[in-house]
Amino acid sequence: MKIKFLLLLCIATLGLASCKKETIVQETQNRTFNYTILPSDWTTSDNGLTYSTTLNVNEIDQITLDDEGVLVYLNHPSDVANPDAYIQLPYVYNVDAYSYKLSKGKIRIDIQSSDDQNNLAIKPTKNLKAKIVILPSKYVP
């Protein structure tokens, strides 16, 4: 009886040892780009109603515009408690509305006043960090 049990245990051990474990690792396809926007990068063409800056992102192609998602984040130097924290655009901060527009190879970030009493936007006086995240997506017709 002991011999049969020992033989059965050996066969089971060999059977389990021959199993092959496969680990599948998928690399993330998201792409992240970081930029620093200087105060001198902000320009206005309408006497201060809108301040704009353009970030050159060559990875934004027609496929990105048609099928993929793009997220834009900015940090604010005014947030002393969290200097490395980011806020996703669009948002309103200090009565100014921050938004962005995508085009092939570029992202334009705009600052406009959201206050009807004072239509002039506030131009940033410190460096801002921008983070751009491109999320691939499969087009489904």
Side-chain angles (χ1 to χ4, degrees), residues 42-65:
W42 297 98
T43 59
T44 183
S45 59
D46 55 9
N47 296 321
L49 296 176
T50 303
Y51 281 99
S52 301
T53 188
T54 300
L55 304 175
N56 293 318
V57 186
N58 295 330
E59 287 76 9
I60 297 178
D61 54 14
Q62 197 60 45
I63 294 172
T64 302
L65 294 174

Side-chain angles (χ1 to χ4, degrees), residues 21 41 51 57 61-62 88 92 101 105 111 113 126 135:
K21 181 180 177 183
D41 293 339
Y51 281 99
V57 186
D61 54 14
Q62 197 60 45
Q88 186 176 357
V92 175
K101 179 180 179 180
I111 304 172
S113 176
K126 296 181 181 176
L135 306 167

